[in-house]
Amino acid sequence: MRGRELRGELDAFLAETEQDLVAFRRDLHMYPELGFAEYRTTQRIAERLTAAGLAPSVLPRGTGIICDVGSGDGPTVALRADIDALALQDEKDVPYRSTVPGSCHACGHDVHTTILLGTSLFLAQQAAAGLLPGRVRLIFQPAEELPGGALEVMAQGGISGVDRIFGLHCDPRLDVGQVGLKPGPITSACDRLLVRVSGPGGHTARPHLTADLVFALAKILTELPAALSRRIDPRSSLSLVWGRVEAGSAANAIPDDGIAEGTVRCLDENAWHVAPDLIKSLLESVAGAYGVEAEMEYTRGVPPVVNDEMSVEMLAEAAQRALGAGSVAPTQQSLGGEDFAWYLESIPGAFARLGTRSPGGRTYDIHQGTFDVDESAIAMGVRLMAATALTALWESRPVTVTDPITTLA
Ligand SMILES: [Zn+2]
Ligand SMILES: [Zn+2]
């Protein structure tokens, strides 16, 4: 009956450590660090992991940590937290307010980090008691907001040998104690597009002797998004929206170059993969029709986070086991980006939303200087992550008659 025992073990662990974890979060909150500059944060995490008998390995840049708990036999499940802050002024009036001007944990990554630390300490105890049926890889990832931290972790072999990966994010629209889950895509892709057009300029009296560049640019601005919407599955919600356009300097002179810049957002992974080539060929055909040269710079952001169905079931099972029935809530795909998506391009896994709103309390928003959480979410997150890792390990093992999963209530 490991399910019931686990809950008791988590209760006992949190009764002892919850206050300490809240203090750890407040310390991180007071000293936020931006992407790839999380030296102090990394140090603090490493100290605590080492004190628990674990062997943290700091990534080569000096920010971010990978640390394994448990033996190498059996499956490996990874848990990831992002540790970076945002370049934003803290506008809260609380004792743990940011001490760094223009920098603030306004995306809750201090909470994610603390939850993963708490989970690490609990799993270290489980491993010491011989209760960990495999290995858990703890990933304290730098620079989620840049983004790029996930790719750095992967470049350092962070997910090699990992069977499944889980992560979570604070959700200020969900009550504390609730976990928002959704199979399939849960965040979106957001890329940047820059188009540069050029052609012979001249007097507006003689457009036929020029490439009439402003007219051609206007055609690109309207026809490119329109053609794109007819060439891609509408369910992918691929949308190209311009944010900046620039050409010319005088009313009667046709310029010889111009620029348009915009974003490409997309809810679907397949559409995201084909988007750059498709946009390039459409751009060339529209520009060609008006006799201008067009080139584009396409800057990839992150792909959408696409949750694996079985991994979502494991999260749901873990939530019910560790947080109780009724803790799972459906959630929607957001138009925001999250670099956890890079891991899921290579291995299965899932990303959960963790409720951080005090029931009946104020609804905050992330990326705002006023953002804060109900700190009881930290203990909830530890319960969820620990139970998820154990559930995934149990369920990834070959089933035998003595397997704990077969005796779960
Ligand atoms: Zn963020
Ligand atoms: Zn975030």
Side-chain angles (χ1 to χ4, degrees):
M1 302 293 280
R2 287 286 301 138
R4 206 167 299 158
E5 280 172 16
L6 175 62
R7 200 156 175 177
E9 287 160 11
L10 280 164
D11 288 344
F13 171 78
L14 286 163
E16 236 175 69
T17 53
E18 184 174 359
Q19 278 200 332
D20 177 43
L21 290 174
V22 169
F24 185 85
R25 179 256 166 169
R26 291 184 174 198
D27 174 71
L28 295 188
H29 202 87
M30 287 174 77
Y31 301 96
E33 294 173 302
L34 300 181
F36 289 130
E38 311 96 331
Y39 300 104
R40 181 185 182 276
T41 308
T42 298
Q43 227 31 60
R44 286 286 186 279
I45 303 163
E47 282 163 13
R48 301 300 294 267
L49 295 175
T50 308
L54 298 173
S57 156
V58 175
L59 295 176
R61 283 175 182 238
T63 74
I65 287 172
I66 294 174
C67 182
D68 283 358
V69 191
S71 71
D73 346 314
T76 299
V77 168
L79 303 176
R80 172 273 208 177
D82 39 13
I83 66 172
D84 57 325
L86 278 169
L88 208 132
Q89 186 64 35
D90 192 339
E91 290 164 20
K92 298 188 299 299
D93 183 17
V94 292
Y96 50 91
R97 182 182 179 184
S98 168
T99 60
V100 185
S103 184
C104 176
H105 268 295
C107 203
H109 298 186
D110 54 336
V111 176
H112 309 163
T113 304
T114 306
I115 288 171
L116 187 56
L117 174 69
T119 307
S120 311
L121 304 181
F122 178 75
L123 292 173
Q125 283 185 4
Q126 293 274 303
L131 293 170
L132 203 61
R135 182 169 56 163
V136 179
R137 175 155 307 163
L138 311 159
I139 300 174
F140 292 91
Q141 183 208 299
E144 190 281 327
E145 299 282 359
L146 284 184
L151 294 173
E152 173 71 7
V153 166
M154 289 166 78
Q156 301 306 326
I159 59 164
S160 61
V162 173
D163 300 295
R164 210 173 276 280
I165 186 165
F166 296 92
L168 56 72
H169 204 289
C170 291
D171 186 344
R173 292 155 305 162
L174 257 188
D175 280 352
V176 69
Q178 297 262 289
V179 179
L181 295 179
K182 180 185 181 299
I186 185 168
T187 65
S188 304
C190 180
D191 301 339
R192 290 173 73 100
L193 175 68
L194 176 95
V195 169
R196 201 171 277 118
V197 289
S198 57
H203 200 287
T204 51
R206 293 175 288 278
H208 56 288
L209 299 179
T210 74
D212 201 354
L213 191 118
V214 175
F215 186 82
L217 185 55
K219 282 291 182 188
I220 289 169
L221 291 175
T222 54
E223 284 182 22
L224 194 53
L228 195 59
S229 70
R230 290 293 165 273
R231 289 285 303 279
I232 212 130
D233 187 334
R235 286 169 298 182
S236 67
S237 293
L238 183 102
S239 67
L240 162 57
V241 178
W242 303 109
R244 185 171 89 94
V245 58
E246 212 179 280
S249 57
N252 61 354
I254 293 169
D256 52 18
D257 61 9
I259 279 179
E261 234 182 323
T263 58
V264 178
R265 288 179 193 269
C266 177
L267 304 185
D268 176 77
E269 198 189 7
N270 294 328
W272 182 75
H273 281 286
V274 302
D277 284 347
L278 183 57
I279 290 173
K280 186 165 190 286
S281 74
L282 290 172
L283 173 65
E284 278 164 3
S285 73
V286 178
Y290 296 96
V292 296
E293 295 281 328
E295 44 182 89
M296 71 171 210
E297 268 171 43
Y298 196 98
T299 311
R300 280 290 200 201
V302 291
V305 169
V306 182
N307 279 342
D308 161 61
E309 203 158 323
M310 196 188 287
S311 304
V312 173
E313 278 171 27
M314 289 172 176
L315 273 168
E317 205 177 301
Q320 272 151 13
R321 197 175 269 153
L323 295 173
S327 59
V328 175
T331 189
Q332 288 184 331
Q333 181 171 16
S334 81
L335 274 169
E338 160 62 59
D339 88 346
F340 186 77
W342 288 117
Y343 302 114
L344 300 189
E345 293 264 300
S346 302
I347 53 172
F351 195 66
R353 297 209 169 107
L354 181 76
T356 58
R357 180 175 58 193
S358 298
R362 176 174 167 187
T363 302
Y364 292 100
D365 202 359
I366 53 171
H367 289 221
Q368 303 284 313
T370 50
F371 174 74
D372 206 353
V373 302
D374 181 323
E375 287 173 320
S376 60
I378 293 171
M380 302 293 180
V382 171
R383 288 174 191 277
L384 177 69
M385 290 305 251
T388 299
L390 289 165
T391 301
L393 287 179
W394 288 332
E395 297 193 1
S396 305
R397 291 194 337 154
V399 176
T400 65
V401 257
T402 54
D403 197 282
I405 196 68
T406 57
T407 58
L408 277 174

